[in-house]
Amino acid sequence: MSFSSIDIVVFCIYALIIIGIAWWVSRKKEGVEQDSTDYFLAGKSLPWYAIGASLIASNISAEQIIGMSGSGFAIGMAIAAYELMAAVTLLLVAKYLLPIYLNKKIFTMPQFLLLRYDGRVRTSLAVFWLLLYVFVNLTTVMFLGALALNTVIGIPFLYGILGLGTFALLYSIYGGLKAVAYTDIIQVIFLVIGGVLVSGVALNLVSGGEGAFSGFLTLIREVPGKFDMVFDVDSTYMINGESKSSYMDLPGISVLIGGMWIANLAYWGCNQYITQRALAAKNLTEARKGVAFAAFLKVIMPIFVVIPGVAAFYLVDKTGDANIINAMMSDGLMKPDKSYPAMLSLVPAGLKGVTFAALIGAIISSLASMMNSTATIFTMDIYHKFINKNSTETNLVKVGRITSFVALAIACLVTPALEGFDQMFQYIQEFSGFVTPAVTVIFLFGMFWSKSTSNAALWVAVLSIPINAFFYFFVPEVPFIDRMGFVFIVLCFAMIIISWIDKEDFKWKDQNFLIIVGCLFLFIIMEGGNHEMFDGTVLSMDTHIGKTLIHLMSLMFVAVALFLSQGIDYDKKAIDISKRVYKSSKQFNTMALIIVVLVTLIYIIWW
């Protein structure tokens, strides 16, 4: 894609604005030293708009913009489920999880685990998150960001890595979270403007120059299959003459009532580099407004990241546009992930610099957020706990900056080794998903079930990987999302059963305990033998109603287990929070209602 001089000027202005704002908000007040609260939690002073913008900028990166557009080309608007379900999840996080976090005045997610469970749980999860952020998240974003730069404007891969790392370092390492959050406001503005430009140009081309809205109506009329939001088990799509299963990517009703909730709750509610923005809010009301703002942006995000892919499919499949086809071909094969760069290349000179700035902004914002969260966890949960318990505030900030630099340096060194991986991002998603159900169970039970014990939480963390590995290697035909839901239910039982065994007067012959164990085995038999047992019946997993009933019965088993476990003593570290803590303002409730109605309407219209 060619860049004009004015595009380069526009991008350079953007870069100077970002660095300038970062250094301006990070400047020291005379006679005041920056402490750990200032550096890691922005002095707990973030307003709602900075929280909401930073949540979206931290979440949206190259893999989401380019990858979701590619999925839009391949399977259509159904991929928007990740955005729409995330919007609803954010509202639940704001309503029920944030009050607990802010009430406990924590810096990190591992600190919450220490308060609710013990040091073993805290340290094991802290180490896991550090490894995940440095060797998985940072390297993934760096890899796909450098790949995007190479695809869009031909920057050599290694130069792309160094450029992105340097840019993220320049504006985030000195000011900490405050610099990241306030520059994210600019990043989101560029992201929205850039998304509107790319989608507008693509839809205008679809309509033959009659406008974006006309182009959207053309897509609905000419490629209605691309607007199916829930797939049947036999749903497929064609790529390079090969038929592939849409259902394996998005397994029907499971997207709405199954495993996607597990992934979303873990990501939006228990993930340091996401929740850290809300922890830095002025107060709970401001935090909730910010999260609701992010939820609204999530609802409109498919317009920017999915529609360009659907438009590219129409131009390739229905009109045979030679320019788009050539832009998306590689080694004689059609590459869906090239649909966004192909659409971006159509943007006029000058405006192309804005869209490119939006893409780069999404990448470096994610890098900066992960660096800061890595520094926060290492400094507060490892360094301050085990290395220097009497560290001064100034030294904690210094350690945080050094950690950010080291984490980024390691990521830059590791990233080139990922070049040879095929479908690297999908494999990394699989790896992260091996512990996602455990994280969700540990946090949800820790907050809302006062009888869960530290031993049970530790066992849940340990069991998650082998159970997932069993499915991954021996039952590969189970969709990834369904697998997460299955493992989640098993781990719920593990939390209940082990917490029961922890009680001082535990007896193996306890009637209620045996019923709970029986419920677990019945669930495993029902899920594991589903196709053989229920094939051809209303409970067949090959039907939407069958899958719905199976999911609801699984949750019913967990509910029965919780009801029967009333005899367990309360854990001594259980959270005791009054119901009034969950009370939210009319403003938040109104915003939440609007968002839920919008998501519901989308699914009703395009089910």
Side-chain angles (χ1 to χ4, degrees):
M1 183 178 71
S2 60
F3 257 45
S4 66
S5 299
I6 190 170
D7 289 317
I8 296 173
V9 169
V10 168
F11 178 75
C12 289
I13 291 173
Y14 151 79
L16 291 173
I17 290 174
I18 292 297
I19 295 173
I21 290 176
W23 283 84
W24 183 74
V25 301
S26 304
R27 69 195 188 282
K28 287 183 180 180
K29 294 181 181 179
E30 190 173 347
V32 178
E33 285 294 325
Q34 190 179 37
D35 62 18
S36 58
T37 302
D38 293 328
Y39 189 78
F40 298 119
L41 294 182
K44 293 192 175 182
S45 63
L46 291 185
W48 66 268
Y49 52 85
I51 295 168
S54 192
L55 281 169
I56 295 302
S58 300
N59 167 243
I60 301 293
S61 191
E63 78 275 10
Q64 201 143 1
I65 294 175
I66 293 176
M68 291 194 75
S69 184
S71 294
F73 180 95
I75 65 177
M77 284 295 291
I79 197 66
Y82 282 97
E83 305 298 297
L84 300 175
M85 299 306 292
V88 180
T89 304
L90 278 166
L91 298 176
L92 294 176
V93 169
K95 177 76 173 177
Y96 297 107
L97 271 60
L98 287 187
I100 298 175
Y101 292 149
L102 294 176
N103 183 66
K104 293 297 181 181
K105 296 180 172 59
I106 57 173
F107 273 73
T108 68
M109 294 296 98
Q111 280 186 351
F112 170 78
L113 297 177
L114 174 65
L115 293 173
R116 176 58 184 89
Y117 297 113
D118 61 21
R120 298 172 303 163
V121 181
R122 172 202 194 175
T123 303
S124 59
L125 268 296
V127 170
F128 161 74
W129 272 312
L130 287 175
L131 294 173
L132 182 70
Y133 289 159
V134 175
F135 292 100
V136 178
N137 291 346
L138 274 173
T139 53
T140 303
V141 173
M142 191 84 74
F143 175 86
L144 293 170
L147 199 62
L149 290 179
N150 180 261
T151 301
V152 174
I153 58 174
I155 293 179
F157 185 73
L158 289 177
Y159 290 164
I161 292 173
L162 293 175
L164 290 171
T166 302
F167 195 171
L169 203 64
L170 278 175
Y171 87 88
S172 67
I173 194 169
Y174 180 72
L177 183 61
K178 190 173 184 179
V180 174
Y182 278 97
T183 51
D184 280 346
I185 298 172
I186 307 299
Q187 309 281 32
V188 166
I189 291 173
F190 271 88
L191 184 64
V192 171
I193 294 174
V196 168
L197 288 172
V198 174
S199 295
V201 168
L203 290 172
N204 189 57
L205 184 60
V206 167
S207 68
E210 295 183 7
F213 185 69
S214 176
F216 183 70
L217 295 178
T218 299
L219 292 179
I220 294 175
R221 183 177 63 254
E222 298 296 329
V223 287
K226 293 296 179 183
F227 287 86
D228 291 341
M229 296 296 292
V230 179
F231 294 132
D232 293 318
V233 71
D234 56 353
S235 296
T236 59
Y237 62 94
M238 295 291 293
I239 291 292
N240 299 309
E242 181 182 356
S243 178
K244 297 187 177 183
S245 173
S246 306
Y247 184 84
M248 286 299 291
D249 294 325
L250 294 167
I253 206 72
S254 288
V255 174
L256 301 180
I257 64 171
M260 188 172 283
W261 282 105
I262 312 307
N264 278 343
L265 285 169
Y267 182 84
W268 293 104
C270 316
N271 185 352
Q272 177 67 28
Y273 93 91
I274 294 297
T275 57
Q276 193 166 338
R277 279 101 191 97
L279 297 179
K282 293 178 179 178
N283 50 53
L284 178 58
T285 300
E286 206 75 3
R288 278 175 165 162
K289 285 165 58 179
V291 173
F293 175 48
F296 174 75
L297 291 176
K298 271 292 180 185
V299 174
I300 65 174
M301 201 55 65
I303 298 173
F304 311 139
V305 297
V306 183
I307 287 295
V310 179
F313 174 83
Y314 171 85
L315 294 170
V316 169
D317 189 67
K318 299 297 182 181
T319 69
D321 190 302
N323 292 328
I324 302 300
I325 292 174
N326 291 335
M328 293 185 61
M329 295 294 287
S330 177
D331 299 326
L333 296 175
M334 182 67 62
K335 299 291 186 181
D337 282 352
K338 288 196 171 187
S339 59
Y340 191 86
M343 295 294 102
L344 196 153
S345 67
L346 301 174
V347 177
L351 296 178
K352 196 174 293 182
V354 176
T355 59
F356 183 65
L359 181 61
I360 295 300
I363 297 166
I364 64 168
S365 177
S366 294
L367 288 175
S369 297
M370 292 170 188
M371 287 163 51
N372 186 262
S373 295
T374 301
T376 306
I377 290 179
F378 178 80
T379 304
M380 305 307 295
D381 293 301
I382 303 297
Y383 178 82
H384 196 33
K385 175 68 177 177
F386 298 106
I387 301 173
N388 188 353
K389 294 182 179 180
N390 300 315
S391 177
T392 64
E393 289 293 313
T394 302
N395 190 51
L396 290 176
V397 173
K398 181 180 178 181
V399 170
R401 288 175 178 151
I402 293 172
T403 303
S404 292
F405 178 81
V406 171
L408 188 65
I410 293 173
C412 286
L413 291 172
V414 172
T415 299
L418 302 179
E419 261 193 296
F421 279 72
D422 180 39
Q423 304 245 341
M424 180 268 301
F425 181 67
Q426 284 83 348
Y427 285 127
I428 289 176
Q429 288 297 93
E430 292 274 357
F431 170 79
S432 300
F434 274 28
V435 294
T436 295
V439 170
T440 308
V441 169
I442 290 170
F443 273 84
L444 291 186
F445 273 76
M447 292 178 187
F448 305 114
W449 196 55
S450 57
K451 302 171 184 182
S452 51
T453 65
S454 300
N455 286 334
L458 198 60
W459 270 106
V460 164
V462 170
L463 290 172
S464 184
I465 292 178
I467 295 174
N468 271 284
F470 173 83
F471 275 90
Y472 180 76
F473 290 109
F474 297 104
V475 199
E477 66 272 13
V478 176
F480 170 65
I481 291 176
D482 282 348
R483 188 177 79 227
M484 282 199 299
F486 179 89
V487 175
F488 173 79
I489 297 296
V490 172
L491 294 181
C492 285
F493 276 107
M495 177 66 85
I496 296 169
I497 290 171
I498 298 171
S499 294
W500 192 305
I501 293 173
D502 271 349
K503 60 185 284 191
E504 292 182 4
D505 58 345
F506 168 72
K507 295 179 181 179
W508 286 101
K509 294 183 179 180
D510 188 302
Q511 181 179 358
N512 287 350
F513 176 78
L514 293 176
I515 293 174
I516 291 174
V517 174
C519 284
L520 170 61
F521 281 105
L522 184 57
F523 161 72
I524 293 173
I525 292 171
M526 182 181 69
E527 285 278 11
N530 176 70
H531 290 286
E532 291 76 16
M533 292 172 62
F534 305 128
D535 189 34
T537 73
V538 72
L539 286 179
S540 173
M541 291 281 273
D542 291 347
T543 65
H544 284 321
I545 188 171
K547 177 162 285 192
T548 302
L549 290 173
I550 293 293
H551 283 309
L552 293 178
M553 288 173 66
S554 301
L555 293 175
M556 180 190 71
F557 284 140
V558 175
V560 168
L562 288 171
F563 175 77
L564 293 175
S565 61
Q566 295 304 309
I568 305 177
D569 295 331
Y570 289 97
D571 187 74
K572 61 182 180 181
K573 301 188 79 172
I575 294 174
D576 182 20
I577 297 180
S578 169
K579 289 183 179 179
R580 67 174 180 272
V581 173
Y582 301 113
K583 185 178 180 180
S584 50
S585 66
K586 289 183 179 179
Q587 189 177 21
F588 172 81
N589 294 339
T590 302
M591 295 169 70
L593 178 62
I594 292 171
I595 291 165
V596 170
V597 168
L598 287 174
V599 172
T600 303
L601 285 176
I602 290 171
Y603 274 98
I604 289 175
I605 294 170
W606 287 302
W607 182 274

